[in-house]
Amino acid sequence: DLAAWLRQRVPAAADAAGLALRVLGAVVSNAFTVTDEEGRPLALALYPGAAAYNHSCMPRAAMVFKGGSELEVRTMREVQAGEEVTIAYMDLGPPRHQRRQQLCEQYRFDCACERCGGYFPAAGSSPAGARRPRPGGTDSSDEVRWLGHAVRGGAGAADDVLQEICCDRSGCGGLAQPGAAPAASHALSPGTLAQQAPSAGDAAAAGFAVFVCQRCEKPCPGRHLEAMARAARLAELAYAGGGSRGYEAFAREAVAPLRRGTGELHAARAQAEVAAMRLAVEEGRWREAEEHATSGLRLLCLGRPQPSPETTVHLLHLLKLRGFLGKLQDFESIRGAAYELLEITHGVHHPLREQLREIAG
C-alpha cells in the first residue's frame, strides 16, 4: 500500500504518510459533495456536524446547499418526538441490492433501514397508476398527479418494480422480475447472473437464478439480461457524471434500449433520462431536452420514496424548457405544485425560489 511504499523509500515520511492516509479515509467516508443551486458538483468538503447523521434509504431529512458552501439539513417528512433524523448517503433511486452494495463498499456497513432490512414496501407494489402510462403519452393532469405523489411522499416503487425488464419473446408483452427458474434447463448459474443481470446481487442473495416473465412464466435469455445490464451501466455512468459531457454522452446510447427493454419505473431509466436531458440542453436541442425532462419527472416522482431536492431541481428545468418552447397547458398548476415541493425541499428563502418566480408562463 501507499504507506508501506513510502516507508521503504523515504523512512522520514512514514508518519506523514500515515496521517495522509487517515485524512484520505476521513474524506472518503465523511465528505459531502458541494453543489451549486441546481445540484451540479463543485467540490468535496467536510462538515463535522452533518457527518454525524446516520443513513437511511427512507431518510427524514436531506441536505441542500445555498449561497456557495452553506449547507442546510432540512426535514422531508414529519418527525415525531424521539425519532432519529437521518439523511441519505447516496441516490435513492436504485433497487435495494445496489444501494446496499454501494453503502457497503464506500461506507463499510450493511444497511438495515426500514426500506432495506424491513423489505419495505411489499414486493410487487408500486404507486397507483405507475406501471403503465396511457396510450398516446401523458398530459398535464398526469404530471400534477405525479407531483402530488412527490409532495406527499410514500413508499415509492418496490424493488421488484425498479428492476423489471420486458420479456423479449414475440407477442408476449409481459414484464420479468427476479424469480425462481421454472425449469432447471433454463437456469443461469449465480456467477453468470452476477455478470449479466442489473439485479444480480439481489437475485443471487435471494436464491433466484433468472428473471422470469410474469405473463408467460418463462425466463429471459442471458443475452437479453446482458443487453439490459449494459444499458443500465451506461445510464449509471451518465447520471454520475454530474455535468461532464463525456459521461453524459453515455445517456444517448442508454435511453433507447432502456425504453424498449425495461419496465416503466426501472431505476436506470430515470438516470438515463435525466442525463440525456442535461446533454440535450448543453447541445441546444430544446424539444428533445423537454421530452427527456418529462419522462424523467415521472420516474423521479413515482420511483423515489419521498420528496427530494433532485426532483425539485429537475422540475425547474422542465418548467424552464416548457416556458421557452411555449408549452403552457396547465403551466400555472404545475408551477404551483413546484412551489409546494420547493418549500419542502429547499425552503422559502432559497435562491431557487426566485428562479421559479422568474420562469415565464
Side-chain angles (χ1 to χ4, degrees):
D1 60 14
L2 176 60
W5 186 88
L6 283 171
R7 287 192 202 98
Q8 228 177 13
R9 289 159 178 76
V10 191
D15 291 342
L19 176 61
L21 289 174
R22 288 196 296 274
V23 171
L24 179 61
V27 170
V28 170
S29 299
N30 296 288
F32 295 94
T33 300
V34 181
T35 67
D36 65 11
E37 295 164 359
E38 296 189 358
R40 291 181 289 259
L42 301 174
L44 289 177
L46 290 171
Y47 295 86
Y53 286 95
N54 285 325
H55 166 86
S56 172
C57 297
M58 288 283 289
R60 292 177 173 83
M63 299 172 300
V64 293
F65 287 92
K66 61 179 183 179
S69 60
E70 181 183 352
L71 175 66
E72 183 178 55
V73 178
R74 298 185 55 82
T75 55
M76 296 293 107
R77 54 193 176 106
E78 187 175 349
V79 180
Q80 302 296 331
E83 284 187 321
E84 180 182 15
V85 177
T86 52
I87 61 175
Y89 293 176
M90 58 171 293
D91 177 45
L92 298 177
R96 178 170 57 94
H97 80 275
Q98 292 182 8
R99 300 193 306 269
R100 298 186 77 182
Q101 180 179 0
Q102 181 177 338
L103 291 166
C104 184
E105 290 176 352
Q106 184 170 351
Y107 298 102
R108 304 300 180 191
F109 71 88
D110 293 321
C111 187
C113 70
E114 58 184 313
R115 192 175 171 207
C116 290
Y119 301 95
F120 178 80
S125 65
S126 62
R131 299 293 290 279
R132 285 279 182 261
R134 290 197 303 269
T138 61
D139 57 34
S140 55
S141 63
D142 289 319
E143 293 165 355
V144 173
R145 176 171 55 82
W146 304 342
L147 290 167
H149 183 274
V151 169
R152 293 189 303 273
D159 285 307
D160 284 348
V161 175
L162 293 172
Q163 301 174 70
E164 285 179 331
I165 61 176
C166 298
C167 180
D168 69 341
R169 286 178 171 77
S170 177
C172 176
L175 291 168
Q177 296 179 352
S185 59
H186 297 297
L188 295 171
S189 69
T192 302
L193 183 69
Q195 297 174 8
Q196 296 180 340
S199 58
D202 217 26
F208 296 142
V210 293
F211 271 55
V212 178
C213 177
Q214 304 299 293
R215 178 174 293 178
C216 69
E217 299 184 350
K218 294 180 179 179
C220 291
R223 64 180 183 279
H224 185 45
L225 298 180
E226 185 175 6
M228 292 302 98
R230 182 179 184 277
R233 179 57 178 160
L234 288 173
E236 180 185 354
L237 290 171
Y239 185 78
S244 168
R245 185 186 178 92
Y247 280 103
E248 288 180 354
F250 288 132
R252 185 171 288 142
E253 189 176 350
V255 166
L258 288 172
R259 285 182 175 179
R260 290 194 307 267
T262 63
E264 294 295 340
L265 288 182
H266 193 284
R269 289 183 67 167
Q271 296 176 328
E273 297 286 1
V274 172
M277 177 206 70
R278 294 188 302 220
L279 181 62
V281 167
E282 185 177 341
E283 296 178 347
R285 293 179 283 110
W286 310 118
R287 295 191 184 281
E288 182 180 332
E290 191 271 337
E291 178 194 351
H292 289 304
T294 299
S295 298
L297 178 67
R298 179 177 183 275
L299 292 159
L300 289 171
C301 288
L302 299 180
R304 267 52 173 182
Q306 60 191 41
S308 72
E310 294 80 12
T311 303
T312 302
V313 170
H314 186 83
L315 177 57
L316 261 64
H317 287 314
L318 176 60
L319 286 170
K320 288 178 183 178
L321 288 165
R322 289 196 175 164
F324 177 75
L325 293 171
K327 299 181 70 171
L328 305 179
Q329 182 180 2
D330 284 343
F331 191 93
E332 290 303 322
S333 297
I334 297 172
R335 185 161 64 172
Y339 271 115
E340 189 174 0
L341 189 60
L342 180 65
E343 184 173 347
I344 296 172
T345 60
H346 291 77
V348 296
H349 302 298
H350 195 277
L352 285 182
R353 189 175 180 87
E354 185 59 31
Q355 287 193 32
L356 181 57
R357 187 178 294 113
E358 293 173 355
I359 296 175

CSV table of all heavy atoms in Angstrom, one decimal, residues 12 32 38 79 212 245:
chain,number,residue,atom,x,y,z
A,12,ALA,N,11.6,8.8,6.6
A,12,ALA,CA,11.2,10.0,7.4
A,12,ALA,C,9.8,10.4,7.1
A,12,ALA,O,9.1,11.1,7.8
A,12,ALA,CB,12.1,11.2,7.1
A,32,PHE,N,-18.8,15.5,1.9
A,32,PHE,CA,-20.0,15.7,1.1
A,32,PHE,C,-19.6,16.4,-0.2
A,32,PHE,O,-18.7,17.2,-0.2
A,32,PHE,CB,-21.0,16.6,1.9
A,32,PHE,CG,-21.5,15.9,3.1
A,32,PHE,CD1,-20.9,16.2,4.4
A,32,PHE,CD2,-22.6,15.1,3.1
A,32,PHE,CE1,-21.4,15.5,5.5
A,32,PHE,CE2,-23.1,14.5,4.2
A,32,PHE,CZ,-22.5,14.7,5.4
A,38,GLU,N,-28.3,24.2,-8.5
A,38,GLU,CA,-29.0,23.2,-9.3
A,38,GLU,C,-28.5,21.8,-9.2
A,38,GLU,O,-28.7,21.0,-10.1
A,38,GLU,CB,-29.0,23.7,-10.8
A,38,GLU,CG,-29.8,25.0,-10.9
A,38,GLU,CD,-30.0,25.4,-12.4
A,38,GLU,OE1,-29.5,24.7,-13.3
A,38,GLU,OE2,-30.6,26.4,-12.6
A,79,VAL,N,-41.4,14.5,11.6
A,79,VAL,CA,-40.5,13.8,12.5
A,79,VAL,C,-41.2,13.9,13.9
A,79,VAL,O,-41.5,14.9,14.4
A,79,VAL,CB,-39.1,14.5,12.6
A,79,VAL,CG1,-38.3,13.7,13.6
A,79,VAL,CG2,-38.4,14.5,11.3
A,212,VAL,N,-37.9,-13.9,-14.5
A,212,VAL,CA,-39.0,-14.7,-15.0
A,212,VAL,C,-40.1,-13.8,-15.4
A,212,VAL,O,-40.5,-12.9,-14.6
A,212,VAL,CB,-39.5,-15.7,-14.0
A,212,VAL,CG1,-40.7,-16.5,-14.5
A,212,VAL,CG2,-38.4,-16.7,-13.6
A,245,ARG,N,-19.6,16.3,-20.0
A,245,ARG,CA,-20.2,16.0,-21.3
A,245,ARG,C,-19.7,14.6,-21.7
A,245,ARG,O,-20.5,13.8,-22.3
A,245,ARG,CB,-19.7,17.0,-22.3
A,245,ARG,CG,-20.3,16.8,-23.7
A,245,ARG,CD,-19.6,17.8,-24.7
A,245,ARG,NE,-20.1,17.6,-26.0
A,245,ARG,CZ,-21.2,18.2,-26.5
A,245,ARG,NH1,-21.8,19.1,-25.8
A,245,ARG,NH2,-21.5,18.0,-27.8
